[in-house]
């Protein structure tokens, strides 16, 4: 057990002001506050030493403390955000290395239009070339109802 003596809280009384409680010059026991009282007493001592450190309002006097439960909640929150980001990133990577898929050409569609929509990471010319190579086409002519293989991006 430890005790802290705060001399700034109690002014030193002169011998005339002291009540005769025993033999002169003999030390007396003083009760030292603990717990919340110790915090209040310490703040009062700081304010007594330097009035500029006095808090502006009631909220300024109460320090913010993060309890064990609070640390647990914050840790779980951070872990869940990291897990969600990891799942989203894994989904993006899986779709980026996707398998080739097949689509049916609709009336009015062109090979360059399909290339622009289905292969956005490539220029139109490169997209058309990829579609021609994947489908074995010698020209860029396609017709409605034709099945085209779109390579994975």
């Amino acid at each position: 057990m430890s005790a802290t003596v705060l001399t700034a809280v109690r002014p030193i009384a002169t011998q005339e002001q002291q009540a005769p409680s025993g033999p002169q010059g003999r030390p007396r026991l003083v009760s030292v506050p603990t717990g919340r009282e110790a915090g209040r007493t310490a703040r009062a001592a700081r304010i007594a030493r330097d009035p500029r450190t006095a808090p502006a309002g009631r909220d300024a006097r109460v320090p913010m403390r993060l309890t064990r439960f609070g640390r647990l909640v914050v840790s779980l929150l951070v872990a869940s955000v990291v897990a969600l980001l990891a799942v989203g990133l894994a989904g993006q990577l899986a779709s980026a290395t996707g398998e080739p898929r097949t689509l049916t050409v609709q009336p009015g569609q062109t090979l360059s239009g399909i290339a622009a929509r289905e292969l956005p990471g490539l220029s139109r010319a490169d997209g058309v070339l990829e579609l021609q190579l994947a489908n074995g086409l010698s020209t860029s002519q396609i017709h409605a109802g034709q099945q085209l293989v779109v390579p994975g991006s």
Side-chain angles (χ1 to χ4, degrees):
M1 180 152 104
S2 63
T4 303
V5 179
L6 300 172
T7 57
V9 174
R10 293 187 177 186
I12 300 174
T14 61
Q15 287 186 356
E16 297 92 34
Q17 293 174 341
Q18 290 181 349
S21 61
Q24 294 289 7
R26 197 158 172 202
R28 296 184 326 220
L29 291 177
V30 178
S31 175
V32 177
T34 59
R36 289 183 181 222
E37 282 298 316
R40 289 185 193 128
T41 306
R43 278 193 293 277
R46 268 197 311 271
I47 292 169
R49 276 186 265 137
D50 188 9
R52 292 176 293 159
T53 62
R58 176 153 175 77
D59 294 335
R61 290 195 285 176
V62 179
M64 185 66 138
R65 298 184 76 176
L66 192 58
T67 62
R68 185 180 300 173
F69 181 72
R71 286 190 300 267
L72 176 68
V73 168
V74 169
S75 298
L76 288 176
L77 182 67
V78 168
S80 63
V81 168
V82 168
L84 287 173
L85 288 174
V87 167
L89 183 61
Q92 288 290 330
L93 290 176
S95 68
T97 59
E99 294 293 319
R101 59 190 184 281
T102 305
L103 65 88
T104 304
V105 177
Q106 301 299 319
Q109 284 186 324
T110 62
L111 198 59
S112 63
I114 293 171
R117 187 181 71 238
E118 298 294 328
L119 302 170
L122 300 174
S123 67
R124 279 192 186 217
D126 290 339
V128 168
L129 183 63
E130 288 288 326
L131 287 172
Q132 285 178 333
L133 290 174
N135 292 289
L137 300 173
S138 58
T139 66
S140 62
Q141 297 297 318
I142 54 172
H143 59 273
Q146 183 179 352
Q147 296 286 323
L148 287 181
V149 175
V150 179
S153 50

